Amino acid sequence: MENNGRLKLFKERFSKKCAHSDVDFTPCFGQLSSSRGVGVTQAFISCLKQALEYQPPIQAAFFYEDDAEVFVDKARKSSPLCSVVENKQILEAMPDDALLGLLGGHDFVISARADAAVKNEHSMKLGLTRTIHSWGSYGWVIKRENIENLVIWFELTVEKSLNDNSLCSPDAAWYELAAVTGKYVYATNPMLVDHFFEFSNTWVDNPEKMVSREFQGKRDINLMLTDKNRTDWKRKVFNEILGYEW
């Protein structure tokens, strides 16, 4: 019952923030699973495959969960996400080593030295931060050439989770894929997408998680940093990629 009308509400919020937008949406429906995180990951697998089959072939796909809400710049009273032309500019700003770009998220971990290199190499209007951990998959973009690898990785993540009851989370899995392929996950800074408060199928058995939204309304990644997720495997893999301790 709590899921009724979510797509309609998302479109209404988007239209309110992006009047006269030329951006079009193709619905991709969610999936439910009794195993936490499996349903949303399976949904993204389906959505990514749908994006690959889209005609004419797409250059990239922008994904929004139905609880996403566009941030509006106060000065211009709009957002880069409201325009197809500016969507393309976001893609052009993405470095060659980007696996994907986060438009929203929270609990970020960044490598200060690696991110400094990004700022030195790329002079761009769109601020980008190279991240090595975050939570949140409610707004992100991926170029076509990276979609197939992400589909395969998500499928492996779901299979492993169902076999050994391990964590299944798309926003953890893509960092693993980035690590093993030598790519990175970048985030727009400031954030372009907020997390609208909605009923959560993922946290239905943990009401506290559904009402605890300390990150909601925040756009600056530096206000959403965490040191809670620097696990051993991340240290090892990223040390090898970066060539120094982070």
Side-chain angles (χ1 to χ4, degrees), residues 12-33:
E12 288 176 352
R13 290 195 302 270
F14 187 88
S15 296
K16 184 177 180 180
K17 298 291 183 69
C18 296
H20 312 297
S21 173
D22 58 352
V23 174
D24 189 27
F25 294 98
T26 300
C28 178
F29 296 100
Q31 299 185 29
L32 294 177
S33 171

Side-chain angles (χ1 to χ4, degrees), residues 66-193:
D66 57 19
D67 52 9
E69 183 170 23
V70 174
F71 277 117
V72 171
D73 296 330
K74 292 182 179 179
R76 56 181 289 183
K77 297 181 180 180
S78 186
S79 164
L81 298 176
C82 299
S83 161
V84 170
V85 170
E86 291 189 87
N87 277 200
K88 291 180 179 178
Q89 291 173 351
I90 292 173
L91 293 176
E92 292 169 358
M94 288 291 167
D96 292 338
D97 63 356
L99 173 65
L100 55 85
L102 298 177
L103 308 173
H106 58 94
D107 287 275
F108 289 94
V109 177
I110 62 175
S111 167
R113 289 178 63 181
D115 191 49
V118 175
K119 288 183 172 65
N120 290 337
E121 293 170 6
H122 302 276
S123 176
M124 57 188 72
K125 292 182 180 178
L126 177 70
L128 290 173
T129 297
R130 182 184 284 175
T131 65
I132 48 183
H133 173 86
S134 65
W135 293 122
S137 57
Y138 40 93
W140 51 287
V141 57
I142 183 170
K143 292 183 178 180
R144 182 183 183 88
E145 59 261 31
N146 293 325
I147 290 180
E148 189 171 351
N149 281 343
L150 187 58
V151 168
I152 293 171
W153 197 262
F154 277 174
E155 289 175 335
L156 291 172
T157 300
V158 168
E159 182 181 359
K160 184 175 187 300
S161 177
L162 294 177
N163 286 339
D164 62 12
N165 201 33
S166 58
L167 172 69
C168 186
S169 170
D171 35 347
W174 54 43
Y175 282 103
E176 297 172 357
L177 177 60
V180 300
T181 57
K183 290 183 176 288
Y184 290 92
V185 174
Y186 287 84
T188 59
N189 194 16
M191 299 265 87
L192 299 179
V193 174

Side-chain angles (χ1 to χ4, degrees), residues 3 8 14 22 36-37 95 112 120 124 146 150 168 192 202 205 209 217 235-236 239:
N3 290 302
K8 179 175 179 287
F14 187 88
D22 58 352
R36 177 174 295 164
N120 290 337
M124 57 188 72
N146 293 325
L150 187 58
C168 186
L192 299 179
T202 302
D205 59 347
K209 289 284 187 179
R235 286 183 181 276
K236 180 179 179 181
N239 286 347

Side-chain angles (χ1 to χ4, degrees), residues 9-64:
L9 290 173
F10 165 78
K11 289 184 175 181
E12 288 176 352
R13 290 195 302 270
F14 187 88
S15 296
K16 184 177 180 180
K17 298 291 183 69
C18 296
H20 312 297
S21 173
D22 58 352
V23 174
D24 189 27
F25 294 98
T26 300
C28 178
F29 296 100
Q31 299 185 29
L32 294 177
S33 171
S34 58
S35 300
R36 177 174 295 164
V38 170
V40 65
T41 308
Q42 289 175 324
F44 277 135
I45 291 170
S46 175
C47 295
L48 288 162
K49 289 181 177 179
Q50 183 175 325
L52 284 175
E53 294 170 357
Y54 194 86
Q55 293 297 328
I58 59 168
Q59 178 186 0
F62 285 74
F63 289 96
Y64 302 93

